[in-house]
Amino acid sequence: MRISILIHLTGTIAVSNVAGAVFRSTQQVINPIVDSNIAVSILADTNRDGHINDSDSHQKHRWTSNRGAIFLPNIGDELHRCRTRDALGTPLSSRELAHCNDAAGEVLINSTLAAPVKTLPVTGLSENATARIFLQPARACEHVRLFWGHGNTGTSSDWSPVKSELRFNSTALAAGLTLAVDGRHLVTDEATWDGQVNIVFEVEDGVRSGSDVVAMRQAPVLLHHHLQTPDSVVTLQTKEGVSLWQSQFVNTLKEVIGGLSSELSLLVLNDSDEVWAQDFMEPAFASMPSPKGPISIRVLLRSAQSARPNGRRVFEQLRGSGVGGWQPGPGSGFGWEEINSGGNMETVPPYTSRSGVPFKNGRVLLGKHFDKYPAMSMIKFLEAQREQTPLYLETGWLAAGHVDELVQFLPCNNTLGFRMAVPDTRSAMRILAQIKRIGHGSSPFLTYPGDMTNDEKAIFAHPELRNKTVEMLLSDEGFAKTNAYAQEFLDRNVKLLLEELPISDADVVRVPALWQDATYDWPTNPDGTPARLHPTIPGECQLQSLFPLALNGLVLDRHYIAPKPFGPRVDGADVFEREIRKVYANAGINAIFIDDYMSHHVRGGEVHCGTNTLRRTDVEWWKPSA
C-alpha cells in the first residue's frame, strides 16, 4: 500500500499506512483568523526577502501586491520521466502530452521549486493535542499541493503530501513543522481559480484550540520583453524538401550569434516542417524569492493553434528540468489561424501609463484583425496573471496580421529605459525620391541576386520586381495609395501607444518600410478547420512588406540582427541598408544585416519570425517599480 500518511509516535518520526491513520469524516471550515487560547503561528516568506523569520508574522493573513508569500507552479520535468509516446509507440495526444509534469502526482520531485512554509513550535500542550493543516478556499485544493518535510536524505522520500485528514501530534507540534507548497497547474482563468490560497493551521487540545493562517499566491507567468538579457536564440532546421534556403539562414545566424557573445547560444530544433520559430510558442517564466536570489521556472506557452505540429515541441523537446509547458485548453485555438501565432504577441517593457496605472513587469501587446480577436483561451490566461493585461493594436490590414510587424522596443539610456521603433513609409518614400533626385531613378528597386524559383511556399515572391526601377515605383499611383493606406494604420497604432506610454514622439524610432497589396480571397479548409489566413472585412486591404521588413528582427541587448533589404544600390551601396543602419545607430543600436529573402521574406515573414529568444528568468517581479 502506498505510504500516504505520516504521524509522530512516541517522540519519533514514524510512517503509518492508511489503515493506521486517524481520519475525520468531514472537514470543518473555519474562520482562518480566530481568537485563540493556544498560541500558534504558521509562517511563509510574506515580506519576500527569501527568508522566513519573525518579520513575516505581520500582515500575513491577506495577500497584496506589496506583501504576501509566493509559490511556483512546479510543472517542469526534472527527471525527464514524461513520455511522448505510448507503449505501442504511438505519439500521445496533445492533451496527454501537456498533462504530465512534476506536480501531476503526489510526489515532490523537485523540492527546489517548492516554497517553504513552517509552523513555530507550540508549547504547553498535553499529549492528546492534535493539529491539522489544510488549504482554503476549497477550489484551491485541486491546484495547490502541500507537503510535510520529515527527512534529510535530499530525495523525494523526505516529503509527504499533507491532506486535511492528517493529524500531527504534540511531539511534532513542539518541534515545529517544515512544510512546502507548490502549484499543480498554471492560473488560466480567474473564474476558476485566481492563484490565491490560505494555508490554515489548526490546533486542538481538549477544550482549548488555536488557529492561524498565512496567505499565498502562485507566481504569475510573465512574458519576456526586450530589456531582459538573452540566454539563447531558438531557430528551426527544416526537413528535406521544406526549404532550400533554411540551412544557409541557420548557418549565418550561428556565425553572427557566435561573434556577439560567448554566453549567448543558438538552439536549433531539427526536422521541422516550417521555418517559423517565433510562432509555435511564446517563452515566459515564473519566479519567487529565495535566500540566494530569485528561483524561477521557464514556462513555454504553446500557441493556441491545435493543428500546428511544432507546438508539440514544447513538451516533446523543450520541457525538462526547470522548464515547463502550457497548452491552451479546449474551446478556442482550434486549427492553425495566424492571429494566434506567437508573432502576434509582443511585450512593452515596464512603464507607468499616462493614466497612472503601473505595469512594472511590462504589458502584452496583441494584434486584432478588425472584428476578430486572438483565442479566448490565451486572452483569459494573460488576464489571469494580473500583471501584463493585454493592449490591442490593429493588425488586420496585414496579410499575416502579426503585431511583431508593427512595433519593437529598443533599450535606451533615457528615463524610461526604452524607445519604440515602428515601420515608416514616409521616410522610405523620401529615400526613393532622393535616389531619383541624384540621378539614379533608373536603378532597379530590388537587388536580390539569388534564385527566386523552385519554392511553392514562396507566395510573396515576385521575380518581376527586379524589372521595376525606383522611378517606376514613384510614378505608380497604386503603389502610392497602398503605402498611404499602410501609413494611416501605422499612425493610428502609434497614436494609441503614445496615449498609453509615457514617451514623446522624439522617442519613436521610425524605420523605413514599404508595402505591397496582398489582398486575396483566402480559401477555406475543406476539412472544416479554420483557415490559416482569412479574407479581410469589406472595404479593407491586406498588405505585405515589399522588401524585407527591417523592423522584424532580433533584439539582443544593443545588437540587432535585421533582414537585409536588398534595396536600390547607389555607388555600390544598398541605400536602404545604409539608411536603416543609421536609424538604429542613432538609437544606440548596432544593426547586423543577414539574408532572409528566400528563407523567410517571400513566405511572409523575416528574421524575428524565424527565431525565438529565451531570456533570463531570475526576475524579481514582485518588487515595487523603481
Side-chain angles (χ1 to χ4, degrees):
M1 181 176 293
R2 178 181 175 85
I3 295 173
S4 59
I5 302 297
L6 293 99
I7 167 174
H8 275 283
L9 298 174
T10 63
T12 61
I13 296 177
V15 178
S16 171
N17 288 334
V18 173
V22 180
F23 290 85
R24 289 184 180 175
S25 59
T26 60
Q27 176 176 320
Q28 178 186 5
V29 178
I30 68 166
N31 184 338
I33 307 174
V34 297
D35 292 331
S36 301
N37 46 33
I38 300 177
V40 300
S41 181
I42 185 169
L43 298 175
D45 184 19
T46 296
N47 67 358
R48 305 171 187 170
D49 67 352
H51 303 271
I52 299 179
N53 50 40
D54 290 344
S55 62
D56 294 302
S57 62
H58 309 291
Q59 299 176 341
K60 65 179 180 177
H61 303 123
R62 181 171 174 267
W63 202 96
T64 69
S65 59
N66 296 319
R67 192 172 175 87
I70 300 164
F71 64 96
L72 293 179
N74 205 345
I75 60 168
D77 184 13
E78 183 71 15
L79 305 178
H80 298 279
R81 65 187 182 88
C82 293
R83 297 183 178 182
T84 60
R85 295 175 178 269
D86 64 17
L88 298 178
T90 305
L92 298 179
S93 68
S94 291
R95 181 181 178 185
E96 290 170 322
L97 274 179
H99 180 73
C100 182
N101 61 62
D102 286 343
E106 300 298 333
V107 178
L108 185 55
I109 295 174
N110 187 354
S111 60
T112 302
L113 296 184
V117 177
K118 72 176 186 179
T119 66
L120 296 185
V122 184
T123 59
L125 297 176
S126 74
E127 62 180 13
N128 296 320
T130 61
R132 65 172 182 153
I133 302 175
F134 58 94
L135 308 178
Q136 286 186 333
R139 64 177 179 172
C141 295
E142 64 180 283
H143 302 287
V144 181
R145 303 192 305 173
L146 177 63
F147 291 90
W148 172 38
H150 53 81
N152 56 9
T153 66
T155 67
S156 296
S157 62
D158 293 341
W159 300 91
S160 292
V162 176
K163 302 299 182 182
S164 60
E165 300 90 349
L166 175 63
R167 294 295 180 269
F168 298 93
N169 68 11
S170 59
T171 304
L173 298 177
L177 303 174
T178 298
L179 306 165
V181 175
D182 67 6
R184 292 182 184 273
H185 318 110
L186 303 185
V187 180
T188 59
D189 184 347
E190 286 196 288
T192 303
W193 179 51
D194 63 3
Q196 299 199 54
V197 64
N198 288 333
I199 314 297
V200 183
F201 179 36
E202 182 186 69
V203 178
E204 293 183 354
D205 188 8
V207 297
R208 298 191 305 148
S209 66
S211 66
D212 193 20
V213 64
V214 63
M216 304 185 75
R217 180 193 169 194
Q218 183 164 294
V221 175
L222 302 174
L223 275 60
H224 290 288
H225 56 77
H226 286 168
L227 303 193
Q228 292 168 332
T229 303
D231 277 336
S232 180
V233 174
V234 181
T235 195
L236 299 169
Q237 183 60 271
T238 53
K239 298 176 182 175
E240 184 177 353
V242 174
S243 171
L244 297 175
W245 294 270
Q246 185 66 8
S247 291
Q248 178 185 337
F249 175 81
V250 172
N251 290 336
T252 302
L253 200 60
K254 186 180 300 183
E255 181 180 347
V256 171
I257 290 174
L260 293 180
S261 171
S262 59
E263 297 180 358
L264 185 62
S265 62
L266 178 66
L267 173 61
V268 181
L269 303 178
N270 294 314
D271 298 319
S272 174
D273 54 6
E274 60 168 311
V275 299
W276 311 118
Q278 182 67 213
D279 291 341
F280 71 87
M281 69 172 183
E282 186 68 24
F285 69 95
S287 59
M288 69 177 182
S290 85
K292 296 183 180 181
I295 290 177
S296 61
I297 180 171
R298 192 181 300 282
V299 181
L300 303 177
L301 310 179
R302 181 179 181 176
S303 63
Q305 297 168 313
S306 63
R308 189 170 208 147
N310 264 358
R312 295 173 60 90
R313 292 177 184 266
V314 166
F315 306 102
E316 293 176 334
Q317 290 183 263
L318 299 172
R319 177 177 55 192
S321 177
V323 181
W326 176 72
Q327 178 171 279
S332 69
F334 179 58
W336 184 343
E337 296 182 88
E338 281 302 325
I339 194 172
N340 293 323
S341 289
N344 200 30
M345 304 172 71
E346 284 296 306
T347 309
V348 187
Y351 72 97
T352 297
S353 73
R354 290 187 181 274
S355 61
V357 179
F359 291 93
K360 64 181 182 179
N361 294 292
R363 188 173 188 183
V364 173
L365 295 179
L366 298 178
K368 70 180 188 69
H369 296 178
F370 298 111
D371 57 350
K372 184 176 178 62
Y373 284 77
M376 187 53 63
S377 56
M378 185 63 75
I379 291 175
K380 285 185 176 181
F381 174 85
L382 295 170
E383 291 177 343
Q385 310 313 310
R386 297 185 179 180
E387 294 290 328
Q388 299 176 318
T389 308
L391 178 67
Y392 297 89
L393 299 182
E394 183 55 70
T395 58
W397 58 280
L398 296 166
H402 293 177
V403 76
D404 68 352
E405 301 173 80
L406 296 185
V407 65
Q408 175 188 80
F409 297 95
L410 304 172
C412 179
N413 291 329
N414 59 9
T415 303
L416 197 58
F418 66 88
R419 285 175 172 161
M420 177 176 74
V422 297
D424 182 58
T425 66
R426 295 187 184 97
S427 60
M429 295 296 278
R430 287 195 298 268
I431 291 171
L432 292 181
Q434 176 64 12
I435 292 173
K436 179 182 178 182
R437 190 159 43 247
I438 62 176
H440 292 272
S442 61
S443 298
F445 173 79
L446 177 64
T447 57
Y448 176 71
D451 184 13
M452 295 178 64
T453 60
N454 299 323
D455 190 344
E456 63 180 18
K457 294 186 178 181
I459 59 176
F460 299 110
H462 300 289
E464 68 276 9
L465 193 57
R466 284 170 159 162
N467 300 322
K468 292 202 173 186
T469 65
V470 170
E471 195 169 44
M472 292 169 66
L473 284 178
L474 288 172
S475 63
D476 186 335
E477 291 185 7
F479 172 73
K481 287 181 179 179
T482 293
N483 282 278
Y485 176 84
Q487 194 61 53
E488 287 181 12
F489 281 100
L490 292 169
D491 288 345
R492 289 182 204 172
N493 284 322
V494 169
K495 181 176 182 292
L496 186 154
L497 288 167
L498 289 179
E499 290 173 349
E500 168 69 14
L501 304 177
I503 61 175
S504 67
D505 193 71
D507 290 313
V508 179
V509 178
R510 290 182 164 80
V511 183
L514 292 170
W515 311 86
Q516 58 185 326
D517 193 339
T519 306
Y520 183 71
D521 188 16
W522 304 100
T524 58
N525 290 333
D527 61 2
T529 59
R532 186 170 174 180
L533 295 170
H534 295 272
T536 188
I537 63 175
E540 301 294 348
C541 301
Q542 289 174 315
L543 308 186
Q544 171 64 22
S545 57
L546 182 64
F547 65 89
L549 183 64
L551 184 91
N552 191 270
L554 186 58
V555 178
L556 301 172
D557 293 328
R558 296 281 177 158
H559 299 288
Y560 179 57
I561 303 177
K564 190 174 181 64
F566 294 107
R569 301 185 73 84
V570 174
D571 298 330
D574 183 331
V575 179
F576 273 109
E577 181 175 326
R578 182 187 68 201
E579 296 304 312
I580 291 168
R581 190 188 305 276
K582 285 182 182 178
V583 169
Y584 278 101
N586 290 338
I589 303 297
N590 171 42
I592 304 165
F593 293 90
I594 67 173
D595 178 7
D596 79 341
Y597 197 89
M598 290 302 297
S599 61
H600 295 83
H601 172 68
V602 298
R603 296 180 176 216
E606 309 292 354
V607 171
H608 189 263
C609 301
T611 59
N612 217 314
T613 312
L614 306 179
R615 298 180 183 271
R616 288 185 59 168
T617 60
D618 55 343
V619 178
E620 297 174 314
W621 62 267
W622 52 87
K623 289 194 171 181
S625 303

